[in-house]
Amino acid sequence: MKVKSINLETVCGITSRLPENQMLEIAFAGRSNVGKSSLINCLSGRKSYARTSSQPGKTQTINFYNINEMLYFVDLPGYGYAKVSKNIVAKWGKMINNYLEGSKVLRLVFLLVDIRHTPNSNDIQMYNWCTGYGFNPIIIATKEDKVKRSQKARLLKDIKQALGTGEDTPVIPFSSMTKSGRDEIWEYIDMVYTDFKDDIIAETQTN
């Protein structure tokens, strides 16, 4: 899919009501500063549409990006930021849980982890939240350009073991600098979009 238009359509804070969208939603989750905004910019072919920052904890809302008037990229709040109060962290967690549980059009979750670090308790909790709501997250190992090629296979294996994923769970090495992994990620998005569209057609015909 070629991204012809991208629009930050809805921004939901802690007290906001989530939108009842009709188009497919693809969610991006990950700890603070893992590179969610950079990934969204890379996938959309924009340099700085989704705001990136070296300051962790920048994304504190759920951001809905309308892609081509066809689907939404949903950027979830970055978790694991130490300088946020426990009360705010709990509210972010509830907001993410409410979204995972309540969205009727969410079909795919990408969970981003830093390839250089073994997933921590926050990453594991996020993975378990997703699977608990019936999603099988595709893992994206960001910052691939920061590690040696000889290290990659071991680091990817460590990520899968730490998260406790199934053998068939994809783990995609990704770099926003080199764009490695971009095409593979789009293949999953296109596949899910096609399935979603087919389900809508079948539902319409049934009714």
Side-chain angles (χ1 to χ4, degrees):
M1 182 185 296
K2 183 176 181 180
V3 176
K4 297 179 181 179
S5 66
I6 176 172
N7 176 43
L8 179 55
E9 185 172 289
T10 309
V11 177
C12 293
I14 290 172
T15 60
S16 302
R17 182 171 180 170
L18 292 168
E20 296 181 2
N21 293 321
Q22 303 301 313
M23 297 188 302
L24 169 70
E25 292 175 357
I26 306 287
F28 298 82
R31 80 180 100 147
S32 298
N33 215 29
V34 75
K36 289 188 285 90
S37 296
S38 295
L39 172 58
I40 290 172
N41 286 330
C42 182
L43 291 174
S44 64
R46 289 4 182 222
K47 289 185 178 180
S48 57
Y49 191 88
R51 289 179 297 176
T52 61
S53 174
S54 59
Q55 177 185 352
K58 191 70 174 177
T59 303
Q60 301 178 12
T61 53
I62 299 180
N63 298 333
F64 292 79
Y65 295 91
N66 186 323
I67 307 295
N68 292 347
E69 300 292 332
M70 297 168 65
L71 58 88
Y72 290 98
F73 285 171
V74 183
D75 187 7
L76 300 177
Y79 53 79
Y81 182 42
K83 293 186 179 181
V84 174
S85 70
K86 291 182 178 180
N87 182 47
I88 294 296
V89 169
K91 288 181 178 178
W92 284 357
K94 184 177 180 181
M95 181 166 59
I96 293 172
N97 264 314
N98 287 343
Y99 171 68
L100 293 174
E101 181 180 19
S103 175
K104 297 179 181 179
V105 288
L106 175 62
R107 294 293 183 273
L108 176 62
V109 178
F110 288 112
L111 177 57
L112 281 66
V113 297
D114 189 326
I115 194 171
R116 300 169 298 178
H117 307 296
T118 301
N120 63 17
S121 59
N122 289 316
D123 296 315
I124 295 169
Q125 182 182 50
M126 186 71 230
Y127 180 79
N128 289 336
W129 278 351
C130 292
T131 57
Y133 287 116
F135 300 102
N136 184 24
I138 291 175
I139 313 303
I140 298 179
T142 64
K143 309 180 192 290
E144 183 207 18
D145 55 291
K146 304 291 187 182
V147 301
K148 296 178 181 179
R149 184 177 298 180
S150 59
Q151 298 175 304
K152 195 189 309 182
R154 176 183 59 81
L155 292 171
L156 296 179
K157 182 179 179 181
D158 289 346
I159 288 171
K160 295 192 74 165
Q161 287 182 339
L163 292 175
T165 70
E167 286 297 320
D168 58 343
T169 298
V171 181
I172 305 172
F174 170 77
S175 167
S176 60
M177 301 297 294
T178 66
K179 296 181 173 56
S180 64
R182 180 181 184 273
D183 291 345
E184 188 176 355
I185 294 167
W186 262 117
E187 286 177 7
Y188 283 103
I189 295 172
D190 287 337
M191 181 172 59
V192 170
Y193 175 75
T194 299
D195 290 343
F196 181 83
K197 190 168 59 173
D198 289 344
D199 287 345
I200 294 297
I201 293 172
E203 183 178 335
T204 302
Q205 292 174 343
T206 301
N207 294 336

